[in-house]
Amino acid sequence: MRFSSSLTRWALGAAAVAAVAALAAWLATGGGVLSPGRLHAGRDGGGPIGGVASHAELGRQCAMCHAPPLGREQMADRCLDCHVEVRAELGDTTRLHGLLPDGGRCLQCHVEHRGPTAVLTDFRGEGFAHERLGFSLAAHRELADGGPFTCSSCHMGETFRFAEATCAQCHGEYQAAFTAAHVRDWGRACTACHDGVDRFSAFSHDSVRFRLTGRHVQAQCSGCHVEVRAVAAFADAPETCIGCHRPDDPHRGQYGTDCAACHNTGDWNDAEFDHTFPLDHGGEGVIECRTCHVEMPSFRTYTCYGCHDAQEMRAEHIDEGIREIRNCVRCHATGREREGPFREDRRRDDDGDGGRGRGRGGRGA
């Protein structure tokens, strides 16, 4: 019994000495003696956080990251005290950490004490709702060589930064000609238009306001949507003929801008021009457009009084009981004198001139 008591006292003394030695070592090394390994020494291109440039600078200050074991504070709380940009993301469901089911539990994805150059992140993305960040991975299941599509296929470094050039680089491996032409026409900011769901692969122009008919069906998208660099800019394409074809207008604007009045989308040369009023009015051959349409290039207005004397016409019409003489074609649609309300069956044509009528230059009213 006396031997057992002595052994117990010896064991307790040894334990006390060991505890004092451990405490002294811990104090002497700043806790480093208990460290499982060296800390990460880089910031992946970023600046100082919390007054330090890397975790390695905290190698002897364990309490900067490790909370007391018996307290309510967690290690993640101390992480977020420094990484305030991550704390801000936790309340935003459009940002990476805000999308994670446990975005505030840092140790689920981030590890330390693996050396100054080791990777700090072990995140494989299982169950991560990537589409909520604006880009779906539904069409990105494997690489061009058949290998698995992983986070590192697009995201580089520990901060998961994404470079737009990655799209063209990857697609160029198996779609070289298409990718080169696509970049030339639309630029390299791929995610400004693409969201990963291939919405343009089966796109029908009939689903928008401007439907494609005739030769427009064969037109290249970039022919009308010039310098487009974002989805919203597609709506800025011109919706009128002259909006696209002004440089091709052989009439140089002299016939106005209502191209569809004569032309269709099938063929510019297949034009239909129906001028009800005879272009050889007066029997002197085809009259120049400017003779009647003095406000060219607009053809919406006309006048008959470039040839017919206005005073003479007014007196003659008043004699017939007609006071409105500005819209001549309302009664004289084909240029004949006896038509409209004053047809030949209501008033004999005493001229005997076949309806050519009176007026300066021999042109009928």
Side-chain angles (χ1 to χ4, degrees), residues 130-216:
H130 202 285
E131 63 275 6
R132 294 178 65 182
L133 287 175
F135 194 91
S136 170
L137 298 181
H140 290 77
R141 298 300 185 187
E142 60 181 33
L143 300 174
D145 60 4
F149 196 87
T150 64
C151 301
S152 60
S153 299
C154 294
H155 299 281
M156 307 301 173
E158 299 175 25
T159 59
F160 286 82
R161 290 197 305 269
F162 171 71
E164 293 280 357
T166 306
C167 299
Q169 179 181 349
C170 184
H171 285 270
E173 293 178 5
Y174 69 100
Q175 296 174 305
F178 168 79
T179 302
H182 203 71
V183 169
R184 182 188 64 241
D185 292 339
W186 310 105
R188 293 183 177 274
C190 305
T191 56
C193 293
H194 296 283
D195 55 11
V197 297
D198 285 343
R199 59 180 167 183
F200 292 113
S201 61
F203 175 74
S204 172
H205 220 284
D206 288 346
S207 64
V208 298
R209 184 169 54 206
F210 190 90
R211 296 192 174 189
L212 302 183
T213 59
R215 296 284 290 277
H216 287 164

